[in-house]
Amino acid sequence: MKSGKQITLFALDCGATNWRLYRVGYRLHGNLVRIKGEPQPSPLTSFSERKLPAILTLNPEGTAIENFGEVAQVQLEDETSRDRVREYFKPCLGAHLESDPLPHQKRYTHAQAVRYTRALLEVIVEQIRDEKWRASAFDEGVRFAFAYPVHWGHDHEGAILEDFKSLVLGCFPEDFHPNVRFVTEPEGAILSLKRQGLLGGATGNGVTLIIDVGGSTTDIVAGKVDPRSGELLYLGRYGEPFGGGLYDAEMANYLADALSIPPSTLAEDPSSLVILRTYGQRLKESLSRQLLQVETASTNSIAQRMITLVTQDKQIYRKLIKIDRDTFDSITHHLHQTFQDLIAQAIRTIGLQDDEIGQVALVGGGVQLFSIVQFLRERFGEEKVVLADNPDEIVVRGVGLEFGISMGTFQPGASLVIEPPAAEGIPSEDKDRPESVWQLLSEEGQVYALDGNEMQVGRGKESHIWLKSDRVSRVHAEFRQTGDTLEVADLGSTNGTFVNEERLEEKQPCSLQHGDRIRFGNQTLTVGRVMSEE
């Protein structure tokens, strides 16, 4: 029989452009903290491709959220509601404390940024309660951890961080506040990179430089990896309010000129620049994907998109915009120089020389910009620069690991046991392992093992269980395992989820038994309970 206290931790990275949610399970045996499996994406039905666009639409009275996420993003194209859309508000947190705030920090007041962040978080917390916890209230079995930029804790005597903590805690009952944690983004990145074995690549006894470029901030941490313990011995850190969103703003200005939109029109309808930012972001990302694919990259790479903007006075501006590398470099040259200066200042502040740096690990969504990657490779050497897989998920994955680390660090007599993804060659002394495990069998004979975490089923390739069929929704359903109980829940699919040919109600979990047949559209899987090989 299983023993020990079960803990489920939800990790959130509330970024300037997108929010991400991960989930990880722990078990406490006295002072022993054991992580169960790997941190896993835990997207909600409002998420798209494992992320939630940090955007919301206010109701006409401006008193509540009307829509959020991808739905609100679509409303940007509606000139009648566009002025009620709010996005990219995180950079404005703490802007009132700056003597000379940057333009993107002045889009909203600090109070507005706090209000919009809290309003969106309240909706997400409620969704987590309904879809992931299925309880009237969160109890001692759940924890939350939130990432934040490292400089928030230092600039202005930590005032920005205190306001962020206050707005987050305001989304939970007061007696639950001890279960809410806050983790610096670099700390999350370090834990995630270490977990993936990416911290040991520094040449010789060189310094590892971790560069985290987000939507609105850049954080840099330097350290040396202890060859015996694998720990990163901290040397210094540096951060500035510079991120990928600045490039989107410059692209918006370029598109306004290319479409010949009069400045007076933009002054009267400033919400038009919001949708131009979105178009600019998509063009930027498309061009970067082409140029970062080394095998297919070409100096002739071009990103193009038909831009259509309808202003509030019903004027229509439409044009096919093409962006090549030279054009993009011309538009963003001053930002590129700012980033170069930022890196130079960080190295000076930390007290390093370039020849001391043996590895540069890149994380955060902003590092996927080709000009940033190219500059860092040219400065430090291509062989030293490591672009992590899914760099925009590195921080949130690591935030999910921090709970076990901190328990091992701060509780007297505690120790941390992290179970590797594959336990080959490592003897297990965990007598609490189940004697049997759940699995799914397709009609073609393919076996899907269920690892105790949430596993999504869908047509989207990001799904844990990928079913290649037009009758299966991109995000179709989700398996959830609690102890020995296995459940499946439909996530609002078009063609439904059926257990033994009985259709499930949307978001209503159904307990499963050995031999049950589950149909997703036209794809059927059979539930099995088999003896564990361990």
Side-chain angles (χ1 to χ4, degrees):
M1 179 179 294
K2 292 185 177 181
S3 61
K5 184 177 182 179
Q6 302 285 334
I7 298 292
T8 296
L9 185 140
F10 293 104
L12 287 103
D13 183 3
C14 304
T17 306
N18 293 297
W19 288 16
R20 295 186 180 276
L21 174 67
Y22 261 65
R23 177 172 177 166
V24 60
Y26 289 91
R27 191 179 302 160
L28 308 184
H29 300 266
N31 281 330
L32 180 66
V33 184
R34 187 179 294 276
I35 184 173
K36 304 299 292 181
E38 290 292 298
Q40 295 286 341
S42 189
L44 305 168
T45 52
S46 57
F47 280 44
S48 174
E49 297 180 349
R50 307 202 329 197
K51 62 190 178 191
L52 175 80
I55 182 169
L56 57 88
T57 304
L58 297 174
N59 62 11
E61 296 75 28
T63 57
I65 292 181
E66 180 180 86
N67 290 303
F68 64 97
E70 197 171 39
V71 176
Q73 201 166 47
V74 171
Q75 286 187 276
L76 285 174
E77 301 177 17
D78 182 356
E79 70 278 7
T80 64
S81 61
R82 194 163 57 227
D83 62 341
R84 294 188 281 114
V85 175
R86 302 290 183 267
E87 50 87 50
Y88 205 61
F89 37 80
K90 180 181 179 180
C92 300
L93 290 172
H96 65 302
L97 301 172
E98 302 291 340
S99 59
D100 186 23
L102 298 171
H104 71 288
Q105 296 177 296
K106 297 187 291 186
R107 300 183 70 229
Y108 308 102
T109 67
H110 172 73
Q112 287 173 323
V114 168
R115 174 192 168 198
Y116 302 146
T117 303
R118 176 169 175 170
L120 185 56
L121 181 57
E122 286 176 339
V123 173
I124 296 307
V125 168
E126 190 61 32
Q127 275 201 324
I128 293 172
R129 192 195 319 273
D130 291 343
E131 297 182 25
K132 306 299 184 183
W133 198 243
R134 304 186 306 280
S136 58
F138 295 122
D139 56 29
E140 282 300 309
V142 67
R143 302 287 190 278
F144 280 81
F146 291 84
Y148 67 90
V150 66
H151 63 87
W152 279 6
H154 304 279
D155 294 351
H156 311 293
E157 300 181 343
I160 307 174
L161 176 58
E162 289 306 309
D163 281 354
F164 179 68
K165 285 183 175 180
S166 179
L167 78 86
V168 169
L169 293 174
C171 299
F172 298 93
E174 186 172 354
D175 60 357
F176 189 76
H177 289 183
N179 293 344
V180 181
R181 316 169 69 82
F182 297 90
V183 183
T184 66
E185 292 172 0
E187 183 178 359
I190 290 168
L191 293 172
S192 185
L193 291 170
K194 179 184 175 184
R195 180 75 165 168
Q196 297 179 52
L198 296 177
L199 279 186
T203 56
N205 195 30
V207 172
T208 291
L209 202 65
I210 300 173
I211 301 178
D212 178 5
V213 184
S216 62
T217 60
T218 294
D219 282 330
I220 299 171
V221 169
K224 284 190 175 183
V225 178
D226 186 322
R228 292 171 298 179
S229 66
E231 297 292 337
L232 186 74
L233 306 178
Y234 168 79
L235 295 177
R237 59 173 171 252
Y238 184 79
E240 285 189 17
F242 176 96
L246 296 180
Y247 293 85
D248 304 336
E250 289 301 320
M251 288 294 293
N253 293 330
Y254 170 81
L255 293 177
D257 291 340
L259 291 168
S260 300
I261 304 175
S264 59
T265 298
L266 294 175
E268 295 171 1
D269 182 15
S271 62
S272 293
L273 279 173
V274 176
I275 188 169
L276 292 179
R277 277 174 54 93
T278 302
Y279 279 126
Q281 177 187 3
R282 292 169 180 169
L283 282 166
K284 175 195 74 175
E285 292 175 348
S286 176
L287 182 63
S288 287
R289 280 193 297 269
Q290 295 180 49
L291 292 172
L292 285 176
Q293 293 174 354
V294 179
E295 297 80 1
T296 59
S298 167
T299 55
N300 297 321
S301 295
I302 295 176
Q304 61 181 19
R305 181 176 288 270
M306 179 62 72
I307 308 295
T308 301
L309 175 69
V310 182
T311 60
Q312 290 180 346
D313 61 2
K314 306 302 181 183
Q315 293 294 314
I316 300 175
Y317 297 88
R318 180 182 289 114
K319 187 176 183 179
L320 178 65
I321 302 294
K322 298 181 179 181
I323 299 289
D324 59 16
R325 180 172 185 163
D326 289 342
T327 303
F328 184 84
D329 286 343
S330 176
I331 297 168
T332 62
H333 173 75
H334 66 291
L335 293 176
H336 187 52
Q337 185 60 53
T338 299
F339 182 75
Q340 293 182 47
D341 294 343
L342 186 159
I343 296 299
Q345 181 61 42
I347 291 175
R348 285 195 298 269
T349 300
I350 297 172
L352 297 173
Q353 300 293 328
D354 280 17
D355 58 8
E356 296 179 82
I357 297 171
Q359 180 186 28
V360 180
L362 307 183
V363 302
V367 298
Q368 297 177 90
L369 182 59
F370 72 91
S371 59
I372 287 179
V373 175
Q374 180 189 42
F375 161 67
L376 294 172
R377 286 172 174 169
E378 290 174 350
R379 174 157 185 166
F380 299 107
E382 185 167 351
E383 73 285 353
K384 294 182 181 180
V385 177
V386 178
L387 180 60
D389 292 336
N390 298 320
D392 43 358
E393 297 188 17
I394 291 292
V395 167
V396 68
R397 181 192 298 269
V399 169
L401 293 169
E402 186 272 344
F403 174 66
I405 296 293
S406 64
M407 289 288 287
T409 302
F410 298 119
Q411 277 201 353
S415 60
L416 173 68
V417 177
I418 296 182
E419 297 178 352
E424 295 180 4
I426 301 178
S428 172
E429 297 182 1
D430 185 358
K431 298 181 176 59
D432 298 321
R433 290 187 182 275
E435 296 181 355
S436 57
V437 295
W438 293 102
Q439 68 177 22
L440 304 169
L441 181 66
S442 74
E443 294 180 316
E444 293 75 28
Q446 183 170 356
V447 176
Y448 300 94
L450 301 179
D451 59 7
N453 293 298
E454 297 172 354
M455 297 185 70
Q456 284 196 345
V457 182
R459 191 180 70 248
K461 290 189 177 181
E462 70 275 10
S463 300
H464 301 96
I465 300 175
W466 180 38
L467 300 180
K468 190 177 179 181
S469 169
D470 292 339
R471 298 279 294 170
V472 176
S473 297
R474 184 179 58 80
V475 180
H476 196 108
E478 185 175 68
F479 286 97
R480 303 163 183 168
Q481 190 172 342
T482 304
D484 292 331
T485 301
L486 178 66
E487 297 176 332
V488 65
D490 185 87
L491 298 181
S493 65
T494 301
N495 294 309
T497 301
F498 298 78
V499 175
N500 300 325
E501 292 308 316
E502 182 176 343
R503 183 163 184 163
L504 303 183
E505 294 184 19
E506 181 180 337
K507 300 180 184 178
Q508 296 300 311
C510 173
S511 296
L512 299 171
Q513 302 294 329
H514 177 82
D516 284 345
R517 290 173 58 82
I518 312 171
R519 180 163 61 83
F520 309 98
N522 61 353
Q523 301 290 303
T524 301
L525 301 177
T526 301
V527 179
R529 185 82 165 157
V530 298
M531 295 300 296
S532 171
E533 295 179 358
E534 299 186 14

